Amino acid sequence: MHWADVVAEKLAEKAREHVLATAITPSGPIHVGNLREVMTTEAIYRALKDRGMKAKLIYIGDTFDPLRKVYPFLPESYKEHVGKPLAEIPCPCSEHENYAMHFLEPFLASLKEIGVEPEVHLAHEMYGKGIYNEAIRVALDNAEKIRDIMNDVANRNLPATWMPFNVKCDACGRLDGEIREYEYPYASYKCKTCGHEGSIDLRKGGVGKLPWRVDWPARWKIFGVTFEAFGKDHAAAGSSWDTGKIIAKEIYGYDPPMPLVYEFIHLKGKGAMHGSTGVAVAAEEVLKMLPPEVLRFLFMKYEPNRHIEFDTGFGLLDLVDEYDKYERVYFGIEEAEAGMKDVRRVYELSQPHTTPKRAANLPSYRHLAVVAQIGRSFEEVVAILQRKQKLDEYDIERLRQRYEKILYWLDKYAPEAIKFKLHYEKPDIELSEGEKKFLKELLRNFHAIEWDAEKIHSTIHETAKQINFPAKKAFECIYKIFLAKKQGPRAGYFLQSLGKDFVVKRIKEFVE
Ligand SMILES: [Zn+2]
Ligand SMILES: [Zn+2]
């Protein structure tokens, strides 16, 4: 059984209705690692619905969290905003409502593209509307108990004056006000940053924020959350999950949701993805080079506790080719290979919307990367591919999407080894006598063969052998006359894609 169905089955045993929550602090670009949380939860949401259960998927944008520091991607001028709620800081590009939306908007658009449409709640609005007010009162009334839980479970050393609420300072706008005196509904505070002293009426919304470790269990109760996935940083001993589940039970009288801990995503060669360190690829960036179903596939294929290494280089091509293999197995065109698990379910859960009616007849992503550099337009690319395989309207539609994405990949991420620039006119290079002899012989042999990648490849080898010309030099000579350099893509596929007429004409230009 697929992992999402396993979790759904466990949830179904507990209750008939479920609220699945997912949340991200939009303090920087929301990356593929963050996406794992949403995708994992959404798969379980789908699995519940497929069992006929009632389920709701909510997404909470932590827009009321303070800016922690000036991240590497921010100008120094953001120093004055450290400590202020993200929704009250200006957006870096000046085109969004605020700092939080600058990062949230593109992420929500990406979610839509991969078929995830949760009910979205923004924390600064929830606080502003007073939705947290009751939870804040309960927390403050139980400040001592919460402090003890934090000190015992999280090994903190909080002073007796500590209160579980950060007041938004009236003078500087930072969430740095510490409560001095509290008697519901009033509290007085002193700002630890600017020293301002003031007082608040807790019946008003947005006057401050619960610290994360209390905010989390409070929202479980507010939304009736029954399931939540989180990264392993929240799950270590003494973590926010450890304190959260006790605070939920003892302070809020609420049973904590069923947890699921997921592994981080690593960026190949760079380590775990973190928005704050810059080791990350934003979700919207990945969707510019990968079809949405393939991005979903990455998360559906591996169990959430499996480590994923995301590779924007050649690994990206392999990922698409692997997806295509699953598609062909799903439709019974090919047999499953060893290691392929839950093919049906993985394929279905990888679809952003409905499951296709049939497999597309597409070239491999790797081959497309080569053809996309030969054809000068989408139409030329289609024409090149159609010399070898029949493409109908459906294939061409799917190909069009992939073509756009592979161009982006070639431009921004592709390793140099796969990149080339085809000379449509004879390049200005000199060949040796040996090379000319080889090309003459090759021309004669090419006339006789069917224009097929493997036949082309073996003919190059055989021709070189016939005249005792080193194979390495033979291939270099071929790349030289088309690319004006000594390396290029696999010669068989490359020449096949160029077309026999073009290849013959170019060789003649050099030998006649
Ligand atoms: Zn912006
Ligand atoms: Zn202040």
Side-chain angles (χ1 to χ4, degrees), residues 169 171-173 191 193-196:
C169 171
C172 73
C191 177
T193 304
C194 77
H196 174 75

Side-chain angles (χ1 to χ4, degrees), residues 432-445:
S432 68
E433 283 312 308
E435 285 172 323
K436 282 184 188 164
K437 190 177 168 210
F438 161 70
L439 286 179
K440 256 184 210 160
E441 214 50 49
L442 187 65
L443 189 61
R444 200 186 336 260
N445 291 337

Side-chain angles (χ1 to χ4, degrees), residues 168-174 176-177 189-196:
K168 194 174 98 184
C169 171
D170 253 340
C172 73
R174 296 186 177 84
D176 286 345
Y189 70 92
K190 183 174 184 190
C191 177
K192 65 179 178 201
T193 304
C194 77
H196 174 75

Side-chain angles (χ1 to χ4, degrees), residues 80-366:
E80 62 161 309
H81 299 302
V82 171
K84 294 183 192 169
L86 299 174
E88 295 175 13
I89 298 172
C91 128
C93 79
S94 77
E95 278 174 28
H96 300 88
E97 208 181 319
N98 55 53
Y99 183 97
M101 293 318 286
H102 176 83
F103 296 109
L104 255 186
E105 258 171 40
F107 183 65
L108 292 175
S110 302
L111 285 188
K112 201 167 175 187
E113 194 179 339
I114 53 177
V116 181
E117 294 192 54
E119 196 179 286
V120 177
H121 298 271
L122 303 180
H124 76 283
E125 289 177 358
M126 290 168 59
Y127 272 98
K129 285 182 197 151
I131 294 171
Y132 270 97
N133 281 4
E134 176 61 15
I136 293 167
R137 190 183 63 77
V138 172
L140 289 173
D141 287 348
N142 290 281
E144 209 182 313
K145 272 200 214 163
I146 294 177
R147 191 172 58 232
D148 288 346
I149 294 168
M150 301 275 268
N151 284 342
D152 294 349
V153 181
N155 235 332
R156 294 282 182 96
N157 198 7
L158 298 171
T161 51
W162 181 85
M163 296 291 276
F165 193 69
N166 302 321
V167 179
K168 194 174 98 184
C169 171
D170 253 340
C172 73
R174 296 186 177 84
L175 287 159
D176 286 345
E178 292 175 323
I179 291 186
R180 290 297 170 87
E181 270 165 59
Y182 161 69
E183 200 183 327
Y184 189 82
Y186 303 107
S188 63
Y189 70 92
K190 183 174 184 190
C191 177
K192 65 179 178 201
T193 304
C194 77
H196 174 75
E197 288 181 41
S199 63
I200 46 166
D201 181 343
L202 289 155
R203 291 168 299 186
K204 282 190 196 151
V207 294
K209 187 188 172 306
L210 292 169
W212 161 245
R213 285 176 183 258
V214 184
D215 184 308
W216 201 20
R219 73 168 62 153
W220 293 337
K221 182 167 184 176
I222 291 170
F223 288 105
V225 177
T226 57
F227 172 89
E228 186 152 348
F230 43 88
K232 59 179 185 179
D233 51 337
H234 290 310
S239 64
S240 49
W241 168 247
D242 274 358
T243 49
K245 58 190 175 187
I246 299 172
I247 292 171
K249 271 193 217 147
E250 294 184 4
I251 308 297
Y252 290 118
Y254 186 79
D255 264 343
M258 182 191 285
L260 188 152
V261 178
Y262 61 84
E263 251 300 333
F264 292 134
I265 302 213
H266 288 240
L267 192 57
K268 193 173 181 197
K270 294 207 174 142
M273 281 201 208
H274 281 297
S276 57
T277 56
V279 176
V281 193
E284 66 263 27
E285 183 71 3
V286 174
L287 280 170
K288 285 182 190 158
M289 51 183 163
L290 212 52
E293 62 273 18
V294 181
L295 181 53
R296 289 188 63 106
F297 171 72
L298 176 70
F299 301 111
M300 295 307 130
K301 191 179 65 143
Y302 297 109
E303 295 183 359
N305 61 4
R306 280 271 305 272
H307 163 105
I308 295 179
E309 183 114 334
F310 187 72
D311 179 10
T312 55
F314 286 119
L316 187 119
L317 304 177
D318 297 335
L319 181 65
V320 179
D321 292 345
E322 198 187 354
Y323 171 85
D324 287 346
K325 170 89 187 168
Y326 269 71
E327 180 170 278
R328 290 191 296 273
V329 172
Y330 180 87
F331 287 105
I333 298 166
E334 277 176 31
E335 294 282 325
E337 275 168 24
M340 286 172 83
K341 249 179 77 186
D342 301 316
V343 175
R344 253 203 110 65
R345 203 59 176 138
V346 167
Y347 183 72
E348 284 166 3
L349 289 171
S350 298
Q351 303 311 318
H353 304 289
T354 50
T355 304
K357 297 258 180 298
R358 66 172 178 82
N361 182 21
L362 297 174
S364 74
Y365 218 44
R366 195 174 279 265

